[in-house]
Amino acid sequence: MELKGKVALVTGGGRGIGQGIALALAGAGADVAVADLDLAIAEETAAKVEATGRRSLAISVNVAQPDSVRAMVEKVEAELGDLDIAVNNAGIISIQSIEELTAEDFDRIMAVNAKGVFLCTQAAVRVMRPRRWGRIINVASIAGKIGFPDLSHYTASKFAVIGFTNAVAKEVALDGITVNALCPGIVGTGMWRGEDGLAGRWREEGESEEASWARHQKTLLPQGVAQTPEDMGQLAVYLACAEHVTGQAIAVDGGCTL
Ligand code: NAI
């Protein structure tokens, strides 16, 4: 699979899954812009992309803000060239029971995970449609396919991403643009690991974070082991190359949603 001459953009690319996807796209030959709320970590990933021999660019963005998203795409096109592949990966999580979830918490998650994907997809389609070629990859989740307790707001946001992806895929299908959702299972990024990650928060009495992480892999995943950012990168490269796969929500989850 070959992406030489293509220009990609990965939001939330400063770390975790986004970084894995950015490096995989670069490995397949694409030049990759790395956008993140945290410019310093976007610059670190951009340096890693450049170390592979590809061109890169670090951009500060808040995907929940229309002006910021518009400026991001303008910058990519001005500095790297026509945008071919948009990976809308930035996302956030929090853990709250349905009783304690506030309207503000709900809005905050939806603003980044659902509205952010809408704004980034719209900005990408606006430049891709006149050129009649594009690949849009929206990072959803296994929580876009099944519900998880204490994550009702996060689950709602990821179901929204999958429905949105399906609808836009049909809207642009005649214009050479594919739109798919990539659904990670459990990946040991900052979202899961550490005291504030899901493994830290979902500990049993007296359990270490490490033991909680091991338990969740065993209980949630038929394969028993977590996926990696590199696994997500492999699927992203495939979706960036594939011509006739569109409107799909593909899980890389070790069988979690079987
Ligand atoms: P992470 O927390 O390690 O990285 C997320 C990145 O997004 C960070 O660099 C952060 O600065 C950036 N970001 C957050 N809000 C932003 C905003 N408003 N604008 C721009 N950038 C922003 O998370 P991870 O695990 O790499 O997650 C990436 C995506 O994968 C998310 O959409 C997440 O929901 C999804 N996912 C992750 C899973 C996991 O097990 N880690 C499982 C399923 C889905």
Side-chain angles (χ1 to χ4, degrees):
M1 285 183 279
E2 173 71 49
L3 294 172
K4 212 160 181 173
K6 300 290 186 202
V7 171
L9 162 66
V10 183
T11 67
R15 67 180 204 185
I17 290 171
Q19 184 178 80
I21 291 174
L23 294 176
L25 293 171
D31 295 328
V32 186
V34 181
D36 205 290
L37 199 55
D38 181 340
L39 181 61
I41 62 173
E43 284 169 346
E44 285 171 25
T45 302
K48 289 182 181 176
V49 168
E50 280 170 4
T52 71
R54 307 314 316 167
R55 293 186 305 148
S56 190
L57 171 67
I59 304 172
S60 166
V61 71
N62 182 348
V63 297
Q65 302 286 344
D67 291 347
S68 182
V69 169
R70 210 172 301 122
M72 168 181 73
V73 172
E74 278 171 15
K75 193 160 185 185
V76 173
E77 298 235 323
E79 299 197 23
L80 290 183
D82 292 354
L83 177 64
D84 299 298
I85 304 158
V87 182
N88 303 322
N89 161 79
I92 56 173
I93 201 166
S94 66
I95 303 172
Q96 273 126 331
S97 71
I98 186 62
E99 293 95 333
E100 68 185 1
L101 184 65
T102 66
E104 290 72 27
D105 297 327
F106 189 88
D107 285 348
R108 196 172 58 86
I109 293 281
M110 293 301 276
V112 179
N113 295 4
K115 188 173 77 176
V117 165
F118 147 58
L119 291 172
C120 293
T121 299
Q122 181 184 60
V125 169
R126 281 180 174 157
V127 295
M128 289 170 177
R129 207 184 317 225
R131 301 197 281 255
R132 303 187 67 80
W133 201 93
R135 298 287 179 267
I136 297 174
I137 302 169
N138 294 326
V139 177
S141 170
I142 46 175
K145 290 173 171 274
I146 55 175
F148 288 88
D150 297 335
L151 296 178
S152 59
H153 50 321
Y154 181 78
T155 301
S157 74
K158 295 299 190 178
F159 268 71
V161 169
I162 292 178
F164 173 80
T165 297
N166 191 295
V168 179
K170 286 181 182 154
E171 197 171 326
V172 300
L174 288 174
D175 300 308
I177 303 171
T178 68
V179 191
N180 289 288
L182 185 165
C183 303
I186 294 186
V187 186
T189 64
M191 199 165 268
W192 263 95
R193 300 306 308 272
E195 297 300 304
D196 292 333
L198 296 174
R201 295 284 308 279
W202 280 338
R203 271 185 289 186
E204 288 174 349
E205 184 114 8
E207 190 181 45
S208 68
E209 188 270 345
E210 189 70 35
S212 163
W213 171 239
R215 176 171 57 81
H216 281 98
Q217 291 176 72
K218 285 209 182 70
T219 53
L220 289 173
L221 301 171
Q223 287 185 333
V225 288
Q227 298 81 55
T228 64
E230 291 74 24
D231 292 328
M232 306 308 143
Q234 285 176 358
L235 179 58
V237 169
Y238 171 75
L239 291 173
C241 294
E243 223 172 300
H244 298 126
V245 179
T246 196
Q248 303 304 305
I250 303 175
V252 182
D253 68 354
C256 179
T257 48
L258 283 175

